[in-house]
Amino acid sequence: MTEPSQSPSDLVAERIKKTRQKRGFTTTKALAQRCAEIGAPQLTAPVLMNIESGRRDDAGRRRRNITVDELLALSLALNVSPLSLLTPKDDLATVDVTPSLTLEGEALGKWIAGREPEFAGVPPFDTEDSDTFQWEADLPAWRRVEILDERLQRDAEIRKSFRRTDALRAEIERRIEAGELPADVHTAWKWRATTDSWTLTSPSGECVEIPRPESED
């Protein structure tokens, strides 16, 4: 059964409580002592109880939302990333970012972590600043460096893949010319790549192993 979608504060409160218990703080008083140790004495046991419960009204609506200051202090006290408290453990669990936008945990986490959002149903910005590069330009410098490193690594893998493909094609053509493989090997045989070789399988089940050239990387 699918769990109902949560508000951001309900999600964070639930994650705080579960993480508190996981860390061995069996009561809010114990966590309050830890908060005082890290310089957040305002997070007393009653305050933490209200954060976790939400001080709900008679209709069950949360009256006590969680501030950014509290989120960061509790992340420090619980020794977790704020991302861990802001996103559900289940990637498919949903969070109501606004009354008209509900995101699954994975999409929410990627957005918070500085990935470009893809929100279905959200009107796009009709400005020159709405493209991918402007989105990245507004990120902190350390995240922009990470994105650049990720792209360089991805490009290197693509180039390596092309080199491997070229090496395979050259070796196949050499074996066809030498009569070691039939001319229809490109279309009729199945190909499978492994770490050290390519495996070519004929329609009749015959297998041919072609080692990867040592110089291909």
Side-chain angles (χ1 to χ4, degrees), residues 40-84:
Q42 72 278 12
L43 294 176
T44 62
V47 169
L48 294 174
M49 289 180 64
N50 287 334
I51 286 176
E52 291 186 2
S53 69
R55 291 182 59 233
R56 299 184 183 277
D57 59 21
D58 294 338
R61 292 185 293 265
R62 170 178 282 273
R63 293 186 296 176
R64 174 57 162 88
N65 288 327
I66 301 168
T67 69
V68 175
D69 297 35
E70 292 166 343
L71 169 68
L72 294 179
L74 285 166
S75 297
L76 182 61
L78 293 168
N79 192 30
V80 295
S81 164
L83 182 62
S84 297

Side-chain angles (χ1 to χ4, degrees), residues 73-197:
L74 285 166
S75 297
L76 182 61
L78 293 168
N79 192 30
V80 295
S81 164
L83 182 62
S84 297
L85 300 182
L86 283 166
T87 53
K89 291 287 287 184
D90 182 355
D91 287 344
L92 298 180
T94 55
V95 180
D96 295 328
V97 178
T98 71
S100 60
L101 176 64
T102 298
L103 293 181
E104 291 185 346
E106 182 177 2
L108 177 64
K110 288 181 177 179
W111 177 38
I112 295 172
R115 306 290 180 86
E116 185 181 10
E118 295 181 3
F119 300 151
V122 177
F125 281 100
D126 188 19
T127 69
E128 295 180 355
D129 294 341
S130 61
D131 59 23
T132 299
F133 295 105
Q134 184 58 42
W135 160 263
E136 293 175 2
D138 291 330
L139 292 171
W142 65 266
R143 179 59 186 138
R144 297 200 304 273
V145 171
E146 281 189 345
I147 290 174
L148 178 59
D149 288 342
E150 290 167 3
R151 285 190 177 138
L152 290 174
Q153 183 176 358
R154 186 166 59 247
D155 289 346
E157 290 297 323
I158 291 173
R159 288 194 296 272
K160 182 186 294 186
S161 177
F162 281 143
R163 289 197 299 272
R164 288 175 174 172
T165 301
D166 290 342
L168 172 61
R169 185 180 296 111
E171 178 62 15
I172 292 293
E173 293 302 326
R174 186 194 69 77
R175 295 196 181 200
I176 290 175
E177 291 178 3
E180 299 174 12
L181 288 173
D184 66 349
V185 68
H186 293 292
T187 56
W189 290 44
K190 294 181 179 179
W191 298 22
R192 182 172 63 87
T194 62
T195 303
D196 301 318
S197 65

